[in-house]
Amino acid sequence: MKNNTLKFKTNINCMGCVAKVTPELNQLTAIENWEVDIQNKEKILTVTASSEKELEIVQAVEKAGFKIEKINN
């Protein structure tokens, strides 16, 4: 199964927020890699994972208490 780069707009805006969401995202086995660009005003979360896992990624970020919205490339 090929992994894709998925991009999401979030409100994860500081390293403390990243630390809060890290355990939620790291427990998803489908994710190969992820990062949040907190310098970008849109707070872009970039995830390398299979696109079937999009809902799980959204749920993990929301569970950590953040807003997340898929960006269509």
Short mmCIF file of all heavy atoms in Angstrom, two decimals:
data_model
loop_
_atom_site.label_atom_id
_atom_site.label_comp_id
_atom_site.label_asym_id
_atom_site.label_seq_id
_atom_site.Cartn_x
_atom_site.Cartn_y
_atom_site.Cartn_z
N MET A 1 0.84 -1.19 0.00
CA MET A 1 0.00 0.00 0.00
C MET A 1 0.89 1.25 0.00
O MET A 1 1.77 1.39 0.82
CB MET A 1 -0.89 -0.01 1.26
CG MET A 1 -1.92 1.07 1.26
SD MET A 1 -2.94 1.05 2.76
CE MET A 1 -3.49 -0.62 2.80
N LYS A 2 0.64 2.11 -0.94
CA LYS A 2 1.46 3.31 -1.10
C LYS A 2 1.00 4.39 -0.11
O LYS A 2 -0.19 4.61 0.08
CB LYS A 2 1.34 3.83 -2.53
CG LYS A 2 2.23 5.00 -2.81
CD LYS A 2 1.99 5.50 -4.23
CE LYS A 2 2.76 6.76 -4.49
NZ LYS A 2 2.39 7.86 -3.60
N ASN A 3 1.96 5.05 0.49
CA ASN A 3 1.63 6.15 1.38
C ASN A 3 1.57 7.46 0.61
O ASN A 3 2.28 7.64 -0.37
CB ASN A 3 2.66 6.27 2.51
CG ASN A 3 2.41 5.24 3.59
OD1 ASN A 3 1.34 4.65 3.66
ND2 ASN A 3 3.40 5.00 4.41
N ASN A 4 0.70 8.33 1.06
CA ASN A 4 0.52 9.64 0.46
C ASN A 4 0.88 10.71 1.47
O ASN A 4 0.89 10.45 2.66
CB ASN A 4 -0.95 9.84 0.05
CG ASN A 4 -1.41 8.83 -0.95
OD1 ASN A 4 -0.73 8.56 -1.92
ND2 ASN A 4 -2.56 8.25 -0.71
N THR A 5 1.08 11.91 0.96
CA THR A 5 1.26 13.04 1.85
C THR A 5 -0.09 13.72 2.01
O THR A 5 -0.68 14.17 1.03
CB THR A 5 2.30 14.03 1.27
OG1 THR A 5 3.53 13.34 1.12
CG2 THR A 5 2.50 15.21 2.19
N LEU A 6 -0.58 13.72 3.23
CA LEU A 6 -1.87 14.35 3.54
C LEU A 6 -1.58 15.66 4.26
O LEU A 6 -0.71 15.72 5.12
CB LEU A 6 -2.71 13.43 4.43
CG LEU A 6 -2.92 12.00 3.92
CD1 LEU A 6 -3.60 11.16 4.99
CD2 LEU A 6 -3.74 11.98 2.65
N LYS A 7 -2.34 16.70 3.93
CA LYS A 7 -2.13 17.99 4.59
C LYS A 7 -3.43 18.43 5.25
O LYS A 7 -4.51 18.27 4.70
CB LYS A 7 -1.67 19.05 3.59
CG LYS A 7 -0.26 18.79 3.08
CD LYS A 7 0.23 19.96 2.25
CE LYS A 7 1.61 19.72 1.71
NZ LYS A 7 2.67 19.93 2.66
N PHE A 8 -3.27 18.98 6.46
CA PHE A 8 -4.42 19.43 7.23
C PHE A 8 -4.13 20.81 7.80
O PHE A 8 -3.02 21.08 8.22
CB PHE A 8 -4.69 18.47 8.41
CG PHE A 8 -4.92 17.05 8.00
CD1 PHE A 8 -3.86 16.17 7.86
CD2 PHE A 8 -6.20 16.59 7.75
CE1 PHE A 8 -4.07 14.84 7.50
CE2 PHE A 8 -6.42 15.27 7.40
CZ PHE A 8 -5.36 14.39 7.26
N LYS A 9 -5.16 21.64 7.85
CA LYS A 9 -5.06 22.92 8.54
C LYS A 9 -5.47 22.66 9.98
O LYS A 9 -6.46 21.99 10.24
CB LYS A 9 -6.03 23.91 7.88
CG LYS A 9 -5.80 25.33 8.26
CD LYS A 9 -6.49 26.37 7.39
CE LYS A 9 -7.75 25.98 6.69
NZ LYS A 9 -8.44 27.13 6.11
N THR A 10 -4.68 23.15 10.94
CA THR A 10 -4.96 22.88 12.36
C THR A 10 -4.85 24.16 13.18
O THR A 10 -4.52 25.22 12.65
CB THR A 10 -3.96 21.86 12.95
OG1 THR A 10 -2.68 22.49 13.07
CG2 THR A 10 -3.83 20.61 12.09
N ASN A 11 -5.09 24.02 14.47
CA ASN A 11 -4.80 25.13 15.40
C ASN A 11 -3.73 24.70 16.40
O ASN A 11 -3.69 25.17 17.52
CB ASN A 11 -6.08 25.64 16.08
CG ASN A 11 -6.74 24.59 16.97
OD1 ASN A 11 -6.45 23.40 16.88
ND2 ASN A 11 -7.64 25.03 17.81
N ILE A 12 -2.86 23.81 15.97
CA ILE A 12 -1.71 23.38 16.77
C ILE A 12 -0.64 24.46 16.56
O ILE A 12 -0.02 24.51 15.51
CB ILE A 12 -1.19 22.00 16.30
CG1 ILE A 12 -2.29 20.95 16.43
CG2 ILE A 12 0.06 21.60 17.06
CD1 ILE A 12 -1.99 19.63 15.74
N ASN A 13 -0.47 25.35 17.55
CA ASN A 13 0.33 26.55 17.25
C ASN A 13 1.58 26.75 18.10
O ASN A 13 2.19 27.80 18.03
CB ASN A 13 -0.55 27.79 17.31
CG ASN A 13 -1.19 27.97 18.67
OD1 ASN A 13 -0.81 27.29 19.62
ND2 ASN A 13 -2.15 28.85 18.75
N CYS A 14 1.96 25.78 18.90
CA CYS A 14 3.19 25.94 19.68
C CYS A 14 3.78 24.57 19.98
O CYS A 14 3.12 23.54 19.77
CB CYS A 14 2.90 26.67 21.00
SG CYS A 14 1.87 25.73 22.12
N MET A 15 5.01 24.55 20.47
CA MET A 15 5.65 23.27 20.75
C MET A 15 4.90 22.51 21.86
O MET A 15 4.87 21.29 21.86
CB MET A 15 7.12 23.47 21.14
CG MET A 15 7.98 23.92 19.96
SD MET A 15 7.72 23.00 18.41
CE MET A 15 8.39 21.41 18.83
N GLY A 16 4.29 23.22 22.77
CA GLY A 16 3.48 22.57 23.81
C GLY A 16 2.30 21.83 23.21
O GLY A 16 1.96 20.72 23.63
N CYS A 17 1.70 22.46 22.19
CA CYS A 17 0.57 21.82 21.49
C CYS A 17 1.05 20.59 20.74
O CYS A 17 0.39 19.56 20.72
CB CYS A 17 -0.06 22.79 20.51
SG CYS A 17 -0.75 24.27 21.27
N VAL A 18 2.21 20.72 20.09
CA VAL A 18 2.79 19.58 19.36
C VAL A 18 3.03 18.43 20.34
O VAL A 18 2.71 17.28 20.05
CB VAL A 18 4.09 20.00 18.64
CG1 VAL A 18 4.82 18.77 18.08
CG2 VAL A 18 3.80 21.00 17.54
N ALA A 19 3.56 18.75 21.52
CA ALA A 19 3.82 17.72 22.54
C ALA A 19 2.52 17.04 22.96
O ALA A 19 2.50 15.84 23.24
CB ALA A 19 4.51 18.34 23.75
N LYS A 20 1.43 17.80 23.00
CA LYS A 20 0.13 17.25 23.41
C LYS A 20 -0.42 16.28 22.36
O LYS A 20 -1.04 15.28 22.71
CB LYS A 20 -0.83 18.44 23.61
CG LYS A 20 -1.93 18.19 24.60
CD LYS A 20 -2.54 19.53 24.97
CE LYS A 20 -4.01 19.38 25.28
NZ LYS A 20 -4.65 20.65 25.55
N VAL A 21 -0.20 16.60 21.10
CA VAL A 21 -0.76 15.77 20.03
C VAL A 21 0.17 14.60 19.66
O VAL A 21 -0.28 13.60 19.11
CB VAL A 21 -1.09 16.65 18.79
CG1 VAL A 21 0.13 16.92 17.94
CG2 VAL A 21 -2.20 16.06 17.96
N THR A 22 1.43 14.69 20.03
CA THR A 22 2.42 13.65 19.67
C THR A 22 2.00 12.24 20.07
O THR A 22 2.01 11.34 19.23
CB THR A 22 3.81 14.01 20.24
OG1 THR A 22 4.26 15.20 19.59
CG2 THR A 22 4.82 12.90 20.01
N PRO A 23 1.62 11.99 21.33
CA PRO A 23 1.27 10.59 21.68
C PRO A 23 0.07 10.07 20.89
O PRO A 23 0.01 8.89 20.56
CB PRO A 23 0.96 10.64 23.18
CG PRO A 23 0.99 12.06 23.59
CD PRO A 23 1.56 12.87 22.48
N GLU A 24 -0.88 10.95 20.58
CA GLU A 24 -2.06 10.52 19.82
C GLU A 24 -1.67 10.10 18.40
O GLU A 24 -2.11 9.07 17.90
CB GLU A 24 -3.11 11.64 19.75
CG GLU A 24 -3.66 12.08 21.10
CD GLU A 24 -4.40 10.97 21.85
OE1 GLU A 24 -4.89 10.02 21.21
OE2 GLU A 24 -4.47 11.06 23.08
N LEU A 25 -0.84 10.92 17.75
CA LEU A 25 -0.43 10.60 16.38
C LEU A 25 0.56 9.44 16.34
O LEU A 25 0.50 8.61 15.44
CB LEU A 25 0.16 11.83 15.70
CG LEU A 25 -0.86 12.92 15.33
CD1 LEU A 25 -0.15 14.17 14.83
CD2 LEU A 25 -1.86 12.43 14.29
N ASN A 26 1.44 9.37 17.32
CA ASN A 26 2.45 8.32 17.31
C ASN A 26 1.87 6.92 17.55
O ASN A 26 2.49 5.93 17.19
CB ASN A 26 3.55 8.60 18.34
CG ASN A 26 4.49 9.68 17.86
OD1 ASN A 26 4.41 10.15 16.73
ND2 ASN A 26 5.39 10.11 18.72
N GLN A 27 0.68 6.84 18.14
CA GLN A 27 0.09 5.52 18.35
C GLN A 27 -0.61 4.98 17.10
O GLN A 27 -0.99 3.83 17.05
CB GLN A 27 -0.86 5.53 19.54
CG GLN A 27 -2.18 6.23 19.29
CD GLN A 27 -3.07 6.23 20.52
OE1 GLN A 27 -2.68 5.77 21.57
NE2 GLN A 27 -4.28 6.74 20.38
N LEU A 28 -0.73 5.81 16.07
CA LEU A 28 -1.33 5.34 14.82
C LEU A 28 -0.26 4.65 13.98
O LEU A 28 0.67 5.29 13.50
CB LEU A 28 -1.93 6.52 14.03
CG LEU A 28 -3.08 7.28 14.69
CD1 LEU A 28 -3.53 8.41 13.79
CD2 LEU A 28 -4.24 6.36 15.00
N THR A 29 -0.39 3.36 13.82
CA THR A 29 0.63 2.59 13.11
C THR A 29 0.70 2.92 11.63
O THR A 29 1.72 2.70 11.00
CB THR A 29 0.36 1.07 13.27
OG1 THR A 29 -0.98 0.82 12.85
CG2 THR A 29 0.56 0.63 14.69
N ALA A 30 -0.37 3.48 11.09
CA ALA A 30 -0.40 3.78 9.65
C ALA A 30 0.45 4.98 9.28
O ALA A 30 0.77 5.18 8.12
CB ALA A 30 -1.84 4.03 9.21
N ILE A 31 0.83 5.78 10.27
CA ILE A 31 1.59 7.00 9.98
C ILE A 31 3.08 6.68 9.89
O ILE A 31 3.65 6.09 10.79
CB ILE A 31 1.35 8.07 11.07
CG1 ILE A 31 -0.10 8.56 11.00
CG2 ILE A 31 2.31 9.24 10.89
CD1 ILE A 31 -0.43 9.63 12.01
N GLU A 32 3.65 7.07 8.77
CA GLU A 32 5.08 6.88 8.55
C GLU A 32 5.85 8.06 9.15
O GLU A 32 6.89 7.89 9.75
CB GLU A 32 5.31 6.79 7.04
CG GLU A 32 6.65 6.27 6.64
CD GLU A 32 6.72 6.15 5.13
OE1 GLU A 32 6.05 5.25 4.58
OE2 GLU A 32 7.43 6.96 4.52
N ASN A 33 5.30 9.25 8.95
CA ASN A 33 5.97 10.47 9.40
C ASN A 33 4.94 11.58 9.51
O ASN A 33 3.95 11.58 8.79
CB ASN A 33 7.04 10.84 8.35
CG ASN A 33 7.90 11.99 8.81
OD1 ASN A 33 8.11 12.21 9.98
ND2 ASN A 33 8.39 12.75 7.85
N TRP A 34 5.16 12.52 10.41
CA TRP A 34 4.27 13.69 10.50
C TRP A 34 5.02 14.87 11.08
O TRP A 34 5.99 14.71 11.80
CB TRP A 34 3.02 13.37 11.34
CG TRP A 34 3.28 13.13 12.79
CD1 TRP A 34 3.58 11.93 13.37
CD2 TRP A 34 3.29 14.09 13.85
NE1 TRP A 34 3.79 12.09 14.72
CE2 TRP A 34 3.60 13.41 15.04
CE3 TRP A 34 3.06 15.46 13.90
CZ2 TRP A 34 3.69 14.05 16.27
CZ3 TRP A 34 3.15 16.10 15.13
CH2 TRP A 34 3.46 15.39 16.30
N GLU A 35 4.55 16.08 10.73
CA GLU A 35 5.12 17.29 11.29
C GLU A 35 4.11 18.42 11.18
O GLU A 35 3.25 18.41 10.30
CB GLU A 35 6.43 17.67 10.61
CG GLU A 35 6.29 18.04 9.15
CD GLU A 35 7.60 18.45 8.50
OE1 GLU A 35 8.65 18.34 9.14
OE2 GLU A 35 7.54 18.89 7.35
N VAL A 36 4.21 19.38 12.09
CA VAL A 36 3.35 20.55 12.06
C VAL A 36 4.24 21.76 11.81
O VAL A 36 5.24 21.95 12.48
CB VAL A 36 2.61 20.75 13.41
CG1 VAL A 36 1.72 21.99 13.36
CG2 VAL A 36 1.79 19.53 13.77
N ASP A 37 3.84 22.56 10.82
CA ASP A 37 4.57 23.80 10.53
C ASP A 37 3.93 24.92 11.35
O ASP A 37 2.98 25.56 10.91
CB ASP A 37 4.50 24.11 9.03
CG ASP A 37 5.27 25.37 8.66
OD1 ASP A 37 5.84 26.01 9.57
OD2 ASP A 37 5.30 25.71 7.47
N ILE A 38 4.45 25.12 12.57
CA ILE A 38 3.85 26.14 13.45
C ILE A 38 4.21 27.56 13.02
O ILE A 38 3.62 28.52 13.51
CB ILE A 38 4.17 25.89 14.96
CG1 ILE A 38 5.67 25.87 15.20
CG2 ILE A 38 3.50 24.62 15.45
CD1 ILE A 38 6.06 25.73 16.66
N GLN A 39 5.16 27.70 12.10
CA GLN A 39 5.51 29.02 11.56
C GLN A 39 4.48 29.49 10.53
O GLN A 39 4.29 30.68 10.33
CB GLN A 39 6.90 28.99 10.90
CG GLN A 39 8.02 28.52 11.81
CD GLN A 39 8.14 29.34 13.08
OE1 GLN A 39 8.10 30.56 13.04
NE2 GLN A 39 8.26 28.67 14.20
N ASN A 40 3.82 28.55 9.88
CA ASN A 40 2.82 28.86 8.87
C ASN A 40 1.54 29.33 9.57
O ASN A 40 1.12 28.72 10.56
CB ASN A 40 2.55 27.59 8.05
CG ASN A 40 1.60 27.81 6.90
OD1 ASN A 40 0.54 28.41 7.04
ND2 ASN A 40 1.96 27.29 5.75
N LYS A 41 0.91 30.39 9.08
CA LYS A 41 -0.30 30.90 9.76
C LYS A 41 -1.44 29.89 9.75
O LYS A 41 -2.32 29.93 10.59
CB LYS A 41 -0.75 32.24 9.16
CG LYS A 41 -1.26 32.18 7.74
CD LYS A 41 -1.71 33.58 7.29
CE LYS A 41 -2.14 33.62 5.84
NZ LYS A 41 -3.24 32.77 5.50
N GLU A 42 -1.41 28.95 8.81
CA GLU A 42 -2.44 27.91 8.73
C GLU A 42 -2.13 26.72 9.65
O GLU A 42 -2.94 25.82 9.75
CB GLU A 42 -2.58 27.41 7.29
CG GLU A 42 -2.83 28.49 6.28
CD GLU A 42 -4.29 28.86 6.17
OE1 GLU A 42 -5.06 28.07 5.64
OE2 GLU A 42 -4.65 29.97 6.63
N LYS A 43 -0.93 26.70 10.26
CA LYS A 43 -0.51 25.60 11.15
C LYS A 43 -0.70 24.26 10.46
O LYS A 43 -1.44 23.39 10.91
CB LYS A 43 -1.29 25.63 12.48
CG LYS A 43 -1.33 26.98 13.16
CD LYS A 43 0.04 27.53 13.44
CE LYS A 43 -0.06 28.92 14.05
NZ LYS A 43 1.11 29.73 13.85
N ILE A 44 0.00 24.09 9.36
CA ILE A 44 -0.19 22.91 8.50
C ILE A 44 0.43 21.65 9.12
O ILE A 44 1.61 21.62 9.43
CB ILE A 44 0.42 23.15 7.10
CG1 ILE A 44 -0.18 24.40 6.43
CG2 ILE A 44 0.24 21.90 6.21
CD1 ILE A 44 -1.67 24.34 6.18
N LEU A 45 -0.41 20.65 9.27
CA LEU A 45 0.03 19.32 9.69
C LEU A 45 0.21 18.50 8.42
O LEU A 45 -0.73 18.36 7.63
CB LEU A 45 -1.03 18.66 10.58
CG LEU A 45 -0.88 17.16 10.85
CD1 LEU A 45 0.40 16.86 11.61
CD2 LEU A 45 -2.09 16.63 11.60
N THR A 46 1.43 18.02 8.20
CA THR A 46 1.72 17.17 7.04
C THR A 46 1.97 15.77 7.55
O THR A 46 2.79 15.57 8.44
CB THR A 46 2.98 17.70 6.30
OG1 THR A 46 2.75 19.07 5.95
CG2 THR A 46 3.24 16.90 5.05
N VAL A 47 1.23 14.83 7.00
CA VAL A 47 1.32 13.43 7.45
C VAL A 47 1.62 12.54 6.25
O VAL A 47 0.99 12.68 5.21
CB VAL A 47 -0.02 12.97 8.08
CG1 VAL A 47 0.08 11.54 8.57
CG2 VAL A 47 -0.44 13.89 9.21
N THR A 48 2.58 11.65 6.42
CA THR A 48 2.82 10.63 5.40
C THR A 48 2.16 9.35 5.92
O THR A 48 2.59 8.79 6.92
CB THR A 48 4.33 10.41 5.19
OG1 THR A 48 4.93 11.67 4.89
CG2 THR A 48 4.59 9.44 4.06
N ALA A 49 1.08 8.97 5.25
CA ALA A 49 0.30 7.80 5.66
C ALA A 49 -0.59 7.39 4.51
O ALA A 49 -0.76 8.13 3.55
CB ALA A 49 -0.56 8.14 6.88
N SER A 50 -1.19 6.23 4.64
CA SER A 50 -2.12 5.83 3.59
C SER A 50 -3.39 6.67 3.72
O SER A 50 -3.82 7.00 4.83
CB SER A 50 -2.45 4.34 3.69
OG SER A 50 -3.14 4.08 4.87
N SER A 51 -3.95 7.05 2.60
CA SER A 51 -5.10 7.96 2.63
C SER A 51 -6.32 7.35 3.30
O SER A 51 -7.21 8.05 3.75
CB SER A 51 -5.44 8.46 1.22
OG SER A 51 -5.53 7.38 0.34
N GLU A 52 -6.37 6.01 3.40
CA GLU A 52 -7.49 5.37 4.10
C GLU A 52 -7.48 5.73 5.59
O GLU A 52 -8.47 5.53 6.28
CB GLU A 52 -7.43 3.84 3.98
CG GLU A 52 -7.59 3.29 2.60
CD GLU A 52 -6.27 3.22 1.85
OE1 GLU A 52 -5.40 2.41 2.22
OE2 GLU A 52 -6.09 3.98 0.89
N LYS A 53 -6.35 6.20 6.08
CA LYS A 53 -6.22 6.50 7.51
C LYS A 53 -6.56 7.95 7.85
O LYS A 53 -6.38 8.38 8.98
CB LYS A 53 -4.79 6.19 7.99
CG LYS A 53 -4.40 4.75 7.78
CD LYS A 53 -5.33 3.81 8.52
CE LYS A 53 -4.97 2.36 8.28
NZ LYS A 53 -5.91 1.44 8.86
N GLU A 54 -7.04 8.69 6.87
CA GLU A 54 -7.36 10.10 7.07
C GLU A 54 -8.28 10.34 8.27
O GLU A 54 -8.02 11.20 9.11
CB GLU A 54 -8.02 10.64 5.79
CG GLU A 54 -8.21 12.12 5.78
CD GLU A 54 -8.86 12.56 4.47
OE1 GLU A 54 -8.41 12.13 3.38
OE2 GLU A 54 -9.82 13.33 4.57
N LEU A 55 -9.35 9.54 8.38
CA LEU A 55 -10.30 9.70 9.48
C LEU A 55 -9.63 9.44 10.83
O LEU A 55 -9.87 10.18 11.79
CB LEU A 55 -11.50 8.77 9.29
CG LEU A 55 -12.61 8.90 10.34
CD1 LEU A 55 -13.20 10.30 10.34
CD2 LEU A 55 -13.69 7.88 10.10
N GLU A 56 -8.76 8.44 10.90
CA GLU A 56 -8.06 8.14 12.15
C GLU A 56 -7.16 9.31 12.57
O GLU A 56 -7.05 9.61 13.75
CB GLU A 56 -7.20 6.88 12.00
CG GLU A 56 -8.01 5.61 11.97
CD GLU A 56 -7.12 4.38 11.78
OE1 GLU A 56 -6.02 4.33 12.37
OE2 GLU A 56 -7.54 3.48 11.03
N ILE A 57 -6.52 9.94 11.60
CA ILE A 57 -5.65 11.09 11.88
C ILE A 57 -6.49 12.24 12.44
O ILE A 57 -6.14 12.84 13.46
CB ILE A 57 -4.90 11.52 10.60
CG1 ILE A 57 -3.94 10.40 10.17
CG2 ILE A 57 -4.16 12.83 10.83
CD1 ILE A 57 -3.44 10.53 8.75
N VAL A 58 -7.61 12.52 11.78
CA VAL A 58 -8.51 13.59 12.24
C VAL A 58 -8.98 13.30 13.66
O VAL A 58 -8.94 14.17 14.53
CB VAL A 58 -9.72 13.74 11.27
CG1 VAL A 58 -10.79 14.63 11.87
CG2 VAL A 58 -9.24 14.30 9.93
N GLN A 59 -9.40 12.07 13.92
CA GLN A 59 -9.89 11.71 15.25
C GLN A 59 -8.80 11.83 16.30
O GLN A 59 -9.06 12.29 17.42
CB GLN A 59 -10.46 10.29 15.23
CG GLN A 59 -11.77 10.20 14.47
CD GLN A 59 -12.24 8.76 14.27
OE1 GLN A 59 -11.46 7.81 14.26
NE2 GLN A 59 -13.54 8.60 14.08
N ALA A 60 -7.57 11.47 15.98
CA ALA A 60 -6.45 11.55 16.93
C ALA A 60 -6.18 13.00 17.31
O ALA A 60 -5.98 13.32 18.48
CB ALA A 60 -5.21 10.90 16.35
N VAL A 61 -6.18 13.89 16.31
CA VAL A 61 -5.92 15.31 16.58
C VAL A 61 -7.06 15.91 17.39
O VAL A 61 -6.84 16.66 18.35
CB VAL A 61 -5.67 16.08 15.26
CG1 VAL A 61 -5.59 17.58 15.50
CG2 VAL A 61 -4.39 15.58 14.59
N GLU A 62 -8.30 15.58 17.04
CA GLU A 62 -9.46 16.09 17.79
C GLU A 62 -9.46 15.55 19.22
O GLU A 62 -9.80 16.27 20.15
CB GLU A 62 -10.76 15.73 17.06
CG GLU A 62 -10.94 16.56 15.80
CD GLU A 62 -12.17 16.18 14.99
OE1 GLU A 62 -12.73 15.08 15.19
OE2 GLU A 62 -12.57 17.01 14.14
N LYS A 63 -9.05 14.30 19.41
CA LYS A 63 -8.98 13.70 20.74
C LYS A 63 -7.98 14.46 21.62
O LYS A 63 -8.19 14.60 22.83
CB LYS A 63 -8.57 12.23 20.61
CG LYS A 63 -8.57 11.47 21.91
CD LYS A 63 -8.25 10.01 21.67
CE LYS A 63 -8.03 9.29 22.98
NZ LYS A 63 -7.44 7.97 22.78
N ALA A 64 -6.92 14.98 20.99
CA ALA A 64 -5.92 15.76 21.73
C ALA A 64 -6.43 17.18 22.01
O ALA A 64 -5.78 17.94 22.72
CB ALA A 64 -4.62 15.82 20.95
N GLY A 65 -7.59 17.53 21.45
CA GLY A 65 -8.21 18.83 21.75
C GLY A 65 -7.98 19.92 20.71
O GLY A 65 -8.13 21.10 21.01
N PHE A 66 -7.64 19.52 19.49
CA PHE A 66 -7.36 20.52 18.46
C PHE A 66 -8.32 20.42 17.29
O PHE A 66 -8.93 19.38 17.06
CB PHE A 66 -5.91 20.36 17.95
CG PHE A 66 -4.91 20.58 19.03
CD1 PHE A 66 -4.32 19.50 19.67
CD2 PHE A 66 -4.57 21.85 19.45
CE1 PHE A 66 -3.41 19.69 20.70
CE2 PHE A 66 -3.67 22.05 20.47
CZ PHE A 66 -3.09 20.97 21.11
N LYS A 67 -8.41 21.53 16.55
CA LYS A 67 -9.21 21.55 15.34
C LYS A 67 -8.34 21.07 14.19
O LYS A 67 -7.14 21.32 14.18
CB LYS A 67 -9.70 22.97 15.03
CG LYS A 67 -10.69 23.49 16.03
CD LYS A 67 -11.14 24.88 15.63
CE LYS A 67 -12.15 25.40 16.66
NZ LYS A 67 -12.04 26.82 16.87
N ILE A 68 -8.95 20.40 13.24
CA ILE A 68 -8.22 19.89 12.07
C ILE A 68 -9.15 19.86 10.89
O ILE A 68 -10.33 19.54 11.02
CB ILE A 68 -7.63 18.49 12.37
CG1 ILE A 68 -6.87 17.96 11.14
CG2 ILE A 68 -8.69 17.51 12.84
CD1 ILE A 68 -6.03 16.73 11.40
N GLU A 69 -8.62 20.25 9.74
CA GLU A 69 -9.42 20.30 8.51
C GLU A 69 -8.54 19.88 7.34
O GLU A 69 -7.44 20.39 7.18
CB GLU A 69 -9.90 21.74 8.34
CG GLU A 69 -10.73 22.02 7.15
CD GLU A 69 -10.99 23.53 7.02
OE1 GLU A 69 -11.15 24.22 8.04
OE2 GLU A 69 -11.02 23.99 5.88
N LYS A 70 -9.01 18.92 6.56
CA LYS A 70 -8.24 18.42 5.41
C LYS A 70 -8.08 19.51 4.38
O LYS A 70 -9.02 20.25 4.10
CB LYS A 70 -8.99 17.22 4.81
CG LYS A 70 -8.38 16.68 3.52
CD LYS A 70 -7.33 15.65 3.81
CE LYS A 70 -6.91 14.87 2.60
NZ LYS A 70 -6.07 15.52 1.64
N ILE A 71 -6.89 19.59 3.81
CA ILE A 71 -6.64 20.51 2.70
C ILE A 71 -6.53 19.65 1.45
O ILE A 71 -5.74 18.70 1.42
CB ILE A 71 -5.31 21.27 2.88
CG1 ILE A 71 -5.35 22.12 4.16
CG2 ILE A 71 -5.00 22.14 1.66
CD1 ILE A 71 -4.00 22.72 4.52
N ASN A 72 -7.30 19.96 0.46
CA ASN A 72 -7.21 19.21 -0.79
C ASN A 72 -6.09 19.79 -1.64
O ASN A 72 -6.09 20.98 -1.92
CB ASN A 72 -8.54 19.26 -1.55
CG ASN A 72 -9.62 18.55 -0.78
OD1 ASN A 72 -9.39 17.50 -0.19
ND2 ASN A 72 -10.81 19.11 -0.75
N ASN A 73 -5.13 18.96 -1.98
CA ASN A 73 -3.96 19.42 -2.74
C ASN A 73 -4.33 19.72 -4.18
O ASN A 73 -5.04 19.04 -4.80
CB ASN A 73 -2.85 18.36 -2.71
CG ASN A 73 -2.37 18.15 -1.29
OD1 ASN A 73 -2.70 18.90 -0.38
ND2 ASN A 73 -1.59 17.11 -1.10
#
